[in-house]
């Protein structure tokens, strides 16, 4: 009989000792918050936050034809990624629907680390394994081989610099390098999901607790705090970053989601979904799909995913994500709306919140952009 108990990360005991509120997320028992999610959010915006992201799905693709396999399996041009760099991309179905959005790190000439969302890790693993047929490449499930910690916020580089001799100054956004942090071997990546500068540290699970404690100690004077998934969601929402299952689904192509730029038709050879995506690109030019926009409340009522966006007494779209914004001090949302109502400042737009049409301002995404 199979167990339905959620999986626990290597840092589970640490979270419980800190008094975290835990929640089942994609089959994992994860910290939702440790205290005030608003305080955790503000810490990341102004100082630094420490996250356990070990629920994410790591898949290694290696072999002489690893690049060719990924160019076929994914919509992006992965073969052009230089060793030590990373790329945001997507994996789509043959009909163009988005299976997941991914970050792919090229860790060596013929080795790539594909990082999938926790809820889609098995789906991505199965798709890559199926699509590997005929390629001289191995697809390996490495979810148990990694714990993933993230340090995010304006103080993150200074905190990490105290624990590693890796060249952080030379580490560009969407790049990764091997190193040691507090004596723990790690892939140090300058990536994140908060809209702030920050780092993600891929380590063996048995080094996770040592690294967490070292980062906590090194970050104490800089105001670093442990952060849960709740503030991660409000941070990514303010930064206008899509979340699978909300802004991205199998019912949408990358062009429907306003992310057609990730599809690289110019790369050599066929790739899964090419024909359907070419048709979607053509449709998007002839008849623009609904556009993903930002909405800022004029009042205090919070919109939630699935709420109707309205104008002139009719439905013109749907909220995909919504929450109070600690940075703006007002409720915000992302929503897909008809192109005719997508321009910033479009008058008369509201959200139907339990039968009441609450006024909202249409704004360009993101809501928040950090100072460089």
């Amino acid at each position: 009989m199979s167990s339905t108990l959620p999986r626990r990360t290597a840092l589970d005991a640490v979270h419980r000792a800190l008094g975290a509120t835990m929640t089942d997320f994609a089959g994992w028992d994860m910290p939702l918050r440790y205290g005030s999610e608003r305080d955790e959010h503000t810490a990341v915006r102004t100082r630094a936050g420490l996250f356990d992201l070990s629920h994410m799905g790591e898949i290694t693709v290696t072999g002489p034809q690893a690049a060719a396999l990924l160019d076929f399996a994914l919509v992006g041009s992965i073969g052009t990624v230089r060793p030590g760099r990373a790329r945001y991309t997507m994996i789509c179905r043959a009909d163009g629907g988005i299976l997941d959005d991914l970050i792919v790190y090229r860790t060596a000439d013929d080795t790539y680390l594909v990082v999938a969302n926790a809820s889609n890790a098995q789906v991505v693993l199965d798709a890559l394994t199926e699509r590997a047929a005929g390629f001289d490449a191995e697809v390996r499930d490495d979810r148990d081989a990694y714990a993933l910690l993230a340090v995010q916020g304006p103080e993150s580089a200074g905190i990490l610099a105290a624990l590693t001799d890796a060249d952080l100054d030379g580490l560009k956004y969407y790049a990764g390098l091997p190193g040691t942090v507090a004596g723990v071997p790690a892939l140090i990546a300058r990536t994140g999901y908060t809209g702030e500068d920050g780092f993600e540290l891929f380590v063996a699970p048995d080094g996770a607790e040592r690294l967490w404690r070292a980062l906590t100690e090194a970050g104490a004077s800089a105001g670093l705090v442990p952060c849960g998934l709740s503030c991660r969601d409000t941070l990514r929402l303010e930064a206008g970053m899509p979340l699978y299952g909300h802004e991205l689904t199998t019912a949408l192509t990358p062009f429907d989601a306003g992310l057609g730029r990730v599809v690289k038709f110019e790369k050599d050879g066929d790739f899964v979904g090419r024909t359907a995506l070419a048709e979607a690109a053509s449709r998007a030019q002839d008849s623009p799909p609904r556009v993903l926009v930002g909405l800022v409340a004029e009042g205090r009522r919070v919109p939630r995913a699935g709420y109707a966006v309205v104008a002139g007494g009719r439905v013109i779209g749907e909220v995909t994500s919504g929450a109070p914004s600690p940075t703006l001090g007002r409720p915000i949302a992302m929503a897909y709306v008809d192109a005719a109502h997508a321009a910033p400042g479009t008058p008369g737009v509201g959200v139907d919140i339990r039968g009441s049409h609450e006024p909202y301002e249409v704004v360009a995404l993101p809501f928040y952009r950090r100072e460089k």
Side-chain angles (χ1 to χ4, degrees), residues 22-292:
M22 306 295 287
T23 188
D24 185 340
F25 185 86
W28 289 83
D29 215 11
M30 297 298 295
L32 190 63
R33 70 181 72 83
Y34 298 85
S36 159
E37 54 202 50
R38 176 179 291 271
D39 290 348
E40 293 172 22
H41 179 112
T42 302
V44 175
R45 286 277 178 258
T46 60
R47 303 184 304 278
L50 178 58
F51 296 83
D52 177 12
L53 305 178
S54 301
H55 61 314
M56 299 295 281
E58 295 88 3
I59 302 162
T60 298
V61 180
T62 186
Q65 291 189 300
L69 163 58
L70 290 171
D71 275 342
F72 169 72
L74 311 180
V75 302
S77 182
I78 307 304
T80 60
V81 178
R82 300 193 307 276
R85 298 306 302 266
R87 183 156 294 165
Y88 176 80
T89 188
M90 294 182 182
I91 183 168
C92 289
R93 303 190 308 192
D95 66 1
I98 302 167
L99 283 173
D100 201 13
D101 61 335
L102 313 165
I103 296 180
V104 180
Y105 300 87
R106 189 172 191 172
T107 56
D109 283 344
D110 61 356
T111 304
Y112 297 81
L113 181 65
V114 178
V115 181
N117 285 295
S119 57
N120 293 330
Q122 190 64 48
V123 169
V124 174
L125 176 66
D126 291 345
L128 287 176
T129 301
E130 179 183 338
R131 296 173 190 187
F135 288 92
D136 186 5
E138 176 193 356
V139 176
R140 187 172 70 234
D141 181 359
D142 270 349
R143 284 176 286 181
D144 291 336
Y146 289 102
L148 177 57
L149 282 67
V151 189
Q152 299 281 300
E155 299 291 336
S156 57
I159 293 167
L160 200 58
L163 298 173
T164 183
D165 58 5
D167 179 17
L168 300 182
D169 289 341
L171 188 62
K172 297 177 180 178
Y173 187 51
Y174 265 69
L177 57 81
T180 59
V181 182
V184 178
L187 171 64
I188 305 168
R190 201 161 206 154
T191 46
Y193 194 52
T194 63
E196 298 296 337
D197 188 19
F199 301 85
E200 295 183 317
L201 308 171
F202 296 84
V203 301
D206 61 7
E209 187 169 333
R210 175 181 174 184
L211 181 55
W212 179 280
R213 296 192 187 284
L215 288 164
T216 299
E217 185 176 337
S221 62
L224 175 140
V225 301
C227 293
L229 295 183
S230 185
C231 84
R232 189 169 185 249
D233 190 48
T234 53
L235 288 160
R236 70 91 193 168
L237 177 55
E238 287 185 350
M241 295 176 167
L243 175 63
Y244 196 88
H246 289 254
E247 289 71 42
L248 308 174
T249 70
T250 53
L252 299 172
T253 72
F255 295 95
D256 297 321
L259 292 166
R261 64 182 181 275
V262 306
V263 181
K264 303 300 181 185
F265 292 115
E266 67 273 18
K267 64 181 175 178
D268 292 337
D270 194 15
F271 62 89
V272 176
R274 179 191 273 274
T275 300
L277 289 168
E279 293 171 357
S282 178
R283 275 198 312 274
Q285 283 189 326
D286 297 339
S287 176
R290 282 182 166 176
V291 179
L292 188 65

Side-chain angles (χ1 to χ4, degrees), residues 9 11-20 22 29-31 34 52 212:
T9 78
L11 292 163
D12 184 77
V14 173
H15 302 319
R16 293 175 192 278
L18 290 169
M22 306 295 287
D29 215 11
M30 297 298 295
Y34 298 85
D52 177 12
W212 179 280

